[in-house]
């Protein structure tokens, strides 16, 4: 369940008379008529004065006062694992509980403030208080997604609080509209200021620094294409986990007796230890002194071994076994208050190594801007050379007074850009910095991940138009885009509005992109259009980061809901939502004309194959592709620009290493192996075998023929499983399901282990004389079933319920009573097991199948089919099974209960540490860790690049690819790699080029056309078919046929009516018989 609202104490939050009504688009965003009974929707009690107001149709009671600060380690309500599963995969339960007890203040609710608030509310902090004394201006609408034109003139915080509350009803969202005092800060664990003078920031930070306990203070601001962050988490801030990575482990192969001791590990995987790491040992046989749990220091780390700061000379010799595990130690950081850090900033966090000298300059620039605003009472006017020169003069004077810290060059050109955009809060900058600052607040409240220490500066001046702009280009047009126009000018704004974009995917990345693009005004003009497609529907787990969705949208199409929500942000947004997967099968939807009319493509995908397909389409049609992806706190962005950069598919990550089949089935040595086996068994027993049974029951004759035709070991095994399912293991009553589950337990966790250890006893040796059970193999022990073991009964409950579901058997109520379930289990007769001689157990790590072929497979298959036919007549007429498809995100369906139980019983066999159901879900469900902060940052970075793409005049050195890890934090921003250039004679080309031959040529004419270029074609193919190869004499008969006719006749290509060409791949040699890789060739025939 969602955590209920917490009580509040006395203070000065004002929400008097605030009624916020949710808009609806075609009913897509309509909420249920009554949700007042839901946890967190207003049913909880509060103390102090309250005001009632409405969010949509949800009647909510909101405290008028700041929330009393919790210690951060209180007793929060249970974590809703369905909602927060992806976030839990990043943070873990302890961090989530600390967040649930944390109160945060955000002061300054322009674009940056609302982005930070969104990310924290989605993360699930206890409360967020929005503070702003200002009123909404038209100017704000280009960066604040929570505001509409109807909010102009209202207080910013009050105008935003309703929309922000919709994001997560478990978080108390309040508004504070009066002047902030120092004493009010004591009610919060963290305070963030996005629009505050340096003098006041120093005053507030001094209070936070000396408060007991210290209050985390963050000052962040974005000014045009420039941004800054300052963090102060107190004089002694403890980081509990510096990187969020799992402790590294290794399986020991040997330990020397010496000083220092050398520890060698199996070469299964490279060790990730580093010099100075602390490690502990367990399960070591022989050198048992190391099993005392005492952390020991690595002095020299190598790929598969390390030296230990330990003298083992006089210890007993190592025998076998052992696991070494990294010990992660907390780290204490000594922050300086802002007052001191301004003069002595220390090392800046660097993001772009081509700008290594930029942070000190921006440190000066932001101080100069603060003085300008204090002196003038306003920000510099966009395009005003006078204001720019005044700012440059202030910066120069401040620089001259810095003594030894004086900068040699204050870069007046850069400061001029800084002055022109100083008043503007741009959405991409707000999104990027909102993600970074949101993550810093999470660190401050939880101790999870290493904080930013202490200043971070960033700029994206490369995003400015390449053409020189007149000052009148920056003049306000009395539109919602005036802030953006003040930075980029009106011409680029027109290009944004008329752009034709394709956004592929509308999940976490897609929602953020649609919000950003709507605020930027992309595809909001008369010529503009944006198409978004996603074939998925909304699930509960999406709601913690896909912020355009609400709980009443669960089950609806993602793209439709996201498009409607984005259109509410900007009514001028021209967006079409489709539910098609992008791939070869939908090229009738996303046809040539569709691709040709696009300005750019934005990927918001979650799998490599789809990315590669879109990359191929963009290559073919020469369209810019803006690529990004996230994994927990890590993200990357890649710009794929025609003729300037390499394409996405030019470089790939190595494939993920898979455990050998024999390891998973017989010799697991970690919980991942156990969970892989458990999911495989789940799918085999409950999905694949019932599906095969239905295939037989639907058409016995055809099924039998296909099995006879296959005639192999796999067909034999499949028939055996189907026969077992419908005959020997058939369930007619729920007691039969319990019997089946109990016998499966005996088979999996007792009999198979007994057979394995009978075949390979503990003292078994390999053919070379080495111990068979040496690392990484672990010797297993059979389990004894016991009704007094809750984990055994829980396995039985889940297995019997799911077995009953496949046979359509009702589940009786008594089954969830452990005593009655135990009584039912006691009725089961379990046969004695006797190990067999000569059983073959696969030990070859290269084996791809556990089935072994036999000379009499065909006769066995015939016998099985006969027995299956005999079994069929005993079944109820029209009987069909109900296969179960694995669904990880429904905690009521027993799927993960069974998989976790299977995996943990197997782990118990092999003395492998067990895991809880949530951890099992992460691994078996292959859940990709995801948090809103990383997503927001990545999309902000991509949209900064979109300005360059749509301007159209930038060089490759102006673009930026990024890898970032918010946990460290680390930013690695660099120019994209140019495409590889191929040359022949006076011609050159890259992967972006495509040769075109018009006039509907014959094969002979095509060969001559290539010969004129000095190229001798020896092979021409279309799809997977050869149209011509010089080695086949009969191909010469095709010389006078049209190439398009050969494609139709030989390659069987079906050419749609909208397509005017056919593509062929040509293999060529030059005059010296050297192969030449030429571009793809398009032959136009109409």
């Amino acid at each position: 369940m969602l955590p209920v609202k917490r009580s509040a104490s006395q203070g000065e939050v004002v929400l008097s008379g605030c009624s916020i009504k949710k808009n609806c688009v075609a009913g897509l965003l309509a909420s249920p008529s009554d949700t007042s009974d839901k946890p967190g929707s207003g049913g909880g009690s509060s103390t102090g004065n309250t005001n009632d107001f409405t969010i949509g149709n949800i009647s909510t009671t909101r405290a008028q006062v700041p929330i009393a600060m919790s210690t951060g380690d209180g007793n929060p309500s249970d974590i809703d694992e369905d909602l927060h599963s992806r976030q839990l995969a990043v943070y873990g339960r302890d961090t989530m509980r600390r967040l649930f007890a944390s109160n945060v203040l955000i002061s300054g609710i322009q674009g940056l403030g609302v982005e930070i608030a969104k990310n924290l509310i989605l993360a699930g902090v206890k409360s967020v208080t929005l503070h702003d004394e200002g009123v909404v201006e038209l100017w704000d609408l280009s960066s604040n997604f929570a505001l509409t034109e109807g909010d102009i003139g209202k207080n910013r915080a009050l105008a935003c609080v309703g929309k922000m509350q919709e994001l997560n009803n478990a978080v108390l969202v309040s508004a504070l509209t009066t002047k902030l005092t120092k004493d009010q800060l004591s009610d919060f664990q963290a305070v963030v200021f996005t629009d505050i003078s340096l003098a006041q920031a120093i005053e507030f930070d001094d209070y936070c620094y000396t408060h007991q306990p210290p209050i985390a203070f963050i000052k962040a601001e974005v000014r045009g294409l420039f941004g800054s962050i300052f963090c102060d988490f107190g004089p002694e801030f403890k980081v509990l986990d510096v990187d969020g990575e799992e402790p590294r482990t290794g399986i020991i192969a040997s330990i020397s007796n010496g000083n220092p001791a050398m520890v060698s590990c199996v070469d299964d995987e490279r060790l990730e230890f580093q010099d100075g790491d602390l490690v502990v040992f367990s399960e070591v046989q022989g050198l048992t002194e190391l099993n005392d749990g005492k952390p020991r220091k690595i002095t020299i780390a190598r790929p598969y071994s390390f030296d230990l700061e330990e003298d083992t000379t006089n210890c007993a010799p190592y025998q076998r076994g052992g696991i070494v595990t990294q010990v992660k130690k907390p780290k204490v950081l000594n922050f300086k208050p802002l007052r001191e850090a301004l003069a002595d900033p220390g090392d800046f966090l660097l993001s772009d190594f081509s700008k290594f000298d930029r942070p000190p300059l921006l440190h000066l620039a932001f101080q100069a801007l603060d003085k300008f605003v204090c002196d003038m009472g306003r920000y510099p006017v966009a395009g005003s050379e006078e204001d720019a020169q005044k700012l440059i003069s202030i910066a120069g004077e401040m620089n001259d007074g810095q003594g030894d810290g004086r900068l040699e060059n204050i870069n007046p050109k850069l400061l001029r850009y800084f002055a022109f955009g100083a008043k503007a809060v741009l959405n991409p900058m707000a999104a990027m910095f909102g993600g970074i600052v949101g993550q810093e607040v999470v660190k401050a409240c939880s101790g999870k991940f290493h904080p930013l220490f202490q200043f971070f500066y960033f700029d994206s001046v490369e995003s400015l138009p390449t053409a020189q702009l007149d000052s009148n280009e920056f003049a306000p047009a009395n539109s919602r885009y005036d802030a953006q126009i003040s930075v980029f000018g009106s011409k680029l704004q027109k290009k944004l509005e008329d752009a034709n974009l394709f956004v592929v995917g509308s999940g976490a990345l897609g929602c953020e992109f649609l919000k950003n693009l709507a605020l930027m005004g992309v595809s909001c003009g008369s010529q503009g259009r944006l198409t978004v497609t996603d074939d998925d529907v909304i699930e509960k787990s999406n709601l913690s980061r896909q912020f355009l969705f609400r709980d009443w949208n669960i089950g609806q199409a993602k793209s439709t809901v996201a498009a409607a929500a984005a259109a509410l942000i900007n009514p001028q947004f021209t967006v079409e939502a489709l539910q098609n997967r992008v791939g070869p099968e939908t090229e009738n939807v996303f046809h040539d004309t569709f691709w040709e009319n696009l300005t750019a493509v934005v990927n918001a995908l979650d799998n490599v194959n789809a990315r590669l397909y879109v990359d191929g389409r963009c290559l073919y049609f020469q369209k810019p592709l803006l690529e990004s992806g996230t994994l927990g706190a890590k993200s990357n962005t890649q710009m794929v620009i025609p003729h300037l950069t390499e394409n996405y598919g030019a470089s790939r990550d190595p494939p993920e290493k898979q455990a050998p089949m024999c390891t998973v089935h017989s010799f697991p040595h970690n919980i991942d192996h156990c969970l892989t086996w458990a999911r495989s068994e789940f799918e085999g027993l409950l999905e694949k075998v019932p599906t095969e049974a239905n295939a037989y029951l639907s058409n016995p004759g055809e099924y039998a023929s296909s099995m006879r035709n296959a005639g192999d070991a796999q067909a034999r095994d499949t028939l055996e499983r189907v026969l077992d399912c419908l005959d020997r293991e058939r369930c007619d009553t729920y007691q039969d399901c319990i019997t089946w589950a109990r016998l499966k337990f005996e088979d999996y966790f007792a009999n198979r282990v007994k057979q394995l250890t009978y075949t390979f006893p503990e003292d078994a040796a390999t053919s070379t004389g080495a111990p068979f059970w040496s690392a990484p193999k672990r010797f297993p022990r059979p389990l004894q079933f016991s009704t007094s073991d809750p984990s055994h009964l829980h396995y039985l409950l889940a297995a019997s319920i799911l077995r009953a579901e496949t046979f359509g058997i009702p589940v009786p109520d008594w089954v969830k009573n452990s005593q009655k379930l135990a009584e039912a289990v006691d009725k089961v007769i379990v046969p004695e097991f006797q190990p067999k001689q000569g059983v073959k157990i696969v030990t070859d790590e290269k084996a791809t199948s556990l089935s072994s072929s036999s000379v009499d497979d065909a006769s066995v298959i015939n016998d099985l089919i006969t027995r299956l036919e005999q079994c069929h007549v005993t079944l109820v007429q029209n009987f069909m099974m109900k296969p179960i498809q694995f669904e990880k995100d429904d905690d009521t369906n027993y799927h993960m209960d069974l998989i976790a139980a299977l995996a943990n019983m197997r782990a118990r066999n092999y003395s492998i540490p067990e895991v809880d159901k949530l951890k099992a879900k992460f691994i078996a469900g292959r859940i990709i860790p995801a948090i809103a902060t990383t997503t927001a940052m990545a999309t902000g970075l991509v949209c900064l690049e979109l300005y360059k793409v749509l301007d159209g005049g930038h060089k490759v050195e102006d673009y930026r690819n990024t890898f970032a890890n918010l946990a460290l934090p680390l930013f690695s921003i660099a120019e994209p790699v140019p495409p590889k250039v191929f040359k022949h004679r006076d011609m050159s080309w890259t992967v972006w080029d495509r040769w075109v031959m018009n006039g509907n040529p014959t094969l002979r004419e095509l060969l001559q056309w290539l010969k004129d270029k000095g190229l001798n074609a020896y092979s021409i193919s279309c799809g997977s078919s050869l149209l011509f190869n010089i080695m086949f004499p009969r191909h010469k008969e095709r010389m006078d046929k049209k190439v398009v006719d050969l494609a139709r006749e030989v390659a069987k290509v079906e050419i749609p009516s909208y397509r005017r060409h056919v593509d062929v791949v040509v293999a060529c040699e030059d005059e010296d018989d050297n192969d030449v890789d030429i571009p793809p060739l398009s032959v136009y025939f109409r």
Side-chain angles (χ1 to χ4, degrees), residues 1016-1038:
N1016 299 313
Y1018 59 82
S1019 179
I1020 301 175
S1021 59
C1022 181
S1024 58
S1025 300
L1026 272 177
L1027 303 187
F1028 169 78
N1029 190 292
I1030 199 168
M1031 300 295 292
F1032 299 116
R1034 293 191 63 182
H1035 283 191
K1036 293 180 180 177
E1037 299 171 6
R1038 302 173 177 176

Side-chain angles (χ1 to χ4, degrees), residues 1-7 38-42 55 58 60 62 76-80 83-84 96 99-103 120-128 164-173 551:
M1 58 181 260
L2 290 168
V4 296
K5 291 197 171 62
R6 290 80 171 179
S7 60
K38 289 188 177 181
S41 62
I55 302 172
I58 303 175
T60 309
R62 184 67 59 245
S77 301
D78 291 340
I79 299 170
D80 186 337
L83 176 65
H84 291 294
M96 290 291 294
L99 286 180
F100 282 1
S102 299
N103 305 299
L120 293 173
I121 293 167
L122 291 173
V125 296
K126 180 178 180 182
S127 74
V128 172
M164 303 313 291
Q165 182 65 74
E166 286 182 7
L167 297 174
N168 188 347
N169 278 322
V171 177
L172 187 61
V173 184
D551 55 2

Side-chain angles (χ1 to χ4, degrees), residues 66-67 69 103-107 131 176 180-193 196 200-201 203-209 211 213-217:
I67 312 304
M69 189 171 93
N103 305 299
V104 181
L105 169 74
I106 301 171
S107 177
H131 169 253
L176 180 60
L180 200 62
T181 64
K182 290 187 294 185
D183 291 341
Q184 288 172 297
L185 303 184
S186 64
D187 292 324
F188 304 96
Q189 273 78 42
V191 295
V192 182
F193 294 89
I196 188 175
Q200 194 171 20
E203 179 187 352
F204 283 157
D205 180 49
D206 284 346
Y207 177 83
C208 294
Y209 191 83
H211 188 273
I215 302 163
F217 175 92

